[in-house]
Amino acid sequence: MNTLRSLAIASLSATTLLSSSLAFAQDRDGWPSSFTVGTASQGGTYFAYGSGWANFIAEQTGVSGGAEVTGGPVQNMALVHTGDLAFGFTTMGPARDAIGGKSPLAPGMPLDNTCAMFPMFETPFSMAALGSSGVQSISEIPAGTRIGFGPSGSTSDSYFPRMMETLGVQFEPRNGSWADLGGQMQDGLLDMIGFAAGIPVPTISQLEVQTAVNVISFTQEEADKLVANFPVSEFTIPAGTYGSAKEDVRAVAMWNFAVANCDLPESFIYEVTRLTMENNPRMVSIHQSAVTSIPENRDKNTFIPWHPGAARWFAENGYELDPALVK
């Protein structure tokens, strides 16, 4: 009897293992052999966050992946829509334009094969000038000031020049990667940089090591005017975020979300979402801005359709989503 019982148990165990293996294989059916995430230029938060996140997901899933330098959210939305990139990072302004057929890269074509995966962080719009410039406020910016706004087509380039015009600033715009613009400012070829990037912005932190930097704070009136005219909300950059910021810095910000091509397998996106949402300490170790990459901030997405895989993870863990946004 004992022998028969042992054989029965062994048979049951083998069946269970086989079933589990089949389920695992089925869950991975259609998974890509590799993935790429569209970030932005080197020296910016997207690239730092994306490089670390891609390595984490690759390590945990066994699917090789990496970050790609791009022009930022506008280009990412287009490349994820076409499937040239599996994943991309975007701010909500360019995402709304892309889904609504207003992307400057594809006018009139809705780039709607992009689905939300998870919330990332708020992108503050902040400004920095060399300490030697003496500029400490928006009102002190001289006419004709050379201001760098990041890569062409980036969130910063798409919105910051218009914000400056709204505040009455007369300037000469410049474009380039954040790292290049930081080098130009240090060399005196650029007067200021208008950043739209998660904090701390690597370029500012690196500049501070070399020279004195003024991180410019908006006045309450200036912030109110920007909130009234653009899809942003008021934001505070805490004192100490940068060595030169001894007090809180008033800024405005726009939310960021990670998006995926909607055709990717549900099980794959479920696992990617699960790993990201259930391992926030690991995410924060990748970049400080990931402290807000938590499921509670899912409600900051009000128009990007959720990928079914991401929606399943949120539903299983008690986080409600707008049913109208679930693919």
Side-chain angles (χ1 to χ4, degrees):
M1 291 292 292
N2 288 340
T3 302
L4 290 174
R5 185 170 182 273
S6 298
L7 288 172
I9 291 174
S11 176
L12 178 61
S13 298
T15 302
T16 301
L17 286 171
L18 179 60
S19 298
S20 298
S21 299
L22 288 172
F24 182 70
Q26 187 177 17
D27 284 346
R28 295 177 69 93
D29 190 38
W31 281 29
S33 58
S34 64
F35 68 86
T36 305
V37 54
T39 59
S41 70
Q42 292 182 346
T45 303
Y46 267 17
F47 187 76
Y49 186 115
S51 298
W53 178 74
N55 290 338
F56 169 55
I57 296 301
E59 166 197 305
Q60 295 295 313
T61 62
V63 179
S64 64
E68 182 171 315
V69 172
T70 70
V74 174
Q75 188 178 18
N76 291 343
M77 287 294 292
L79 293 174
V80 171
H81 169 80
T82 59
D84 291 299
L85 293 175
F87 306 131
F89 298 156
T90 184
T91 38
M92 302 308 275
R96 184 184 291 278
D97 289 344
I99 292 172
K102 298 178 181 178
S103 170
L105 297 180
M109 177 187 295
L111 303 179
D112 54 5
N113 200 33
T114 51
C115 287
M117 284 195 298
F118 58 85
M120 294 172 61
F121 51 81
E122 289 179 275
T123 288
F125 287 75
S126 57
M127 303 200 74
L130 291 180
S132 58
S133 71
V135 175
Q136 298 185 16
S137 66
I138 300 298
S139 62
E140 293 175 344
I141 300 175
T145 292
R146 297 165 298 179
I147 305 178
F149 293 111
S152 180
S154 64
T155 299
S156 181
D157 182 52
S158 299
Y159 287 89
F160 228 144
R162 287 188 280 159
M163 290 180 176
M164 291 295 96
E165 291 168 357
T166 299
L167 298 180
V169 178
Q170 299 178 23
F171 58 90
E172 294 181 14
R174 297 285 189 273
N175 292 113
S177 73
W178 296 123
D180 287 344
L181 294 176
Q184 289 178 40
M185 192 162 82
Q186 186 177 343
D187 294 339
L189 302 176
L190 199 63
D191 302 307
M192 301 182 69
I193 302 179
F195 293 93
I199 57 174
V201 178
T203 298
I204 297 180
S205 300
Q206 291 162 11
L207 272 173
E208 287 185 316
V209 175
Q210 307 295 329
T211 187
V213 175
N214 291 340
V215 180
I216 310 300
S217 182
F218 292 120
T219 65
Q220 186 64 61
E221 181 181 1
E222 289 165 347
D224 290 344
K225 184 175 289 188
L226 295 179
V227 170
N229 287 277
F230 299 93
V232 295
S233 56
E234 190 171 327
F235 183 89
T236 298
I237 299 174
T241 300
Y242 302 107
S244 55
K246 307 302 182 185
E247 299 179 352
D248 289 349
V249 175
R250 183 182 292 108
V252 294
M254 190 180 290
W255 266 94
N256 296 263
F257 270 73
V259 295
N261 181 275
C262 297
D263 297 331
L264 286 169
E266 178 180 329
S267 59
F268 180 53
I269 301 304
Y270 175 90
E271 184 64 8
V272 170
T273 303
R274 184 189 72 77
L275 288 167
T276 308
M277 293 290 91
E278 294 182 7
N279 291 282
N280 190 248
R282 174 68 183 272
M283 294 297 297
V284 173
S285 75
I286 291 169
H287 196 280
Q288 181 182 329
S289 65
V291 68
T292 55
S293 298
I294 55 177
E296 287 78 5
N297 287 322
R298 71 202 181 284
D299 60 350
K300 305 305 187 296
N301 171 30
T302 58
F303 59 88
I304 305 175
W306 290 97
H307 193 287
R312 179 158 67 90
W313 183 88
F314 283 106
E316 287 181 0
N317 289 275
Y319 297 103
E320 293 184 3
L321 300 176
D322 180 351
L325 293 180
V326 178
K327 270 269 185 179

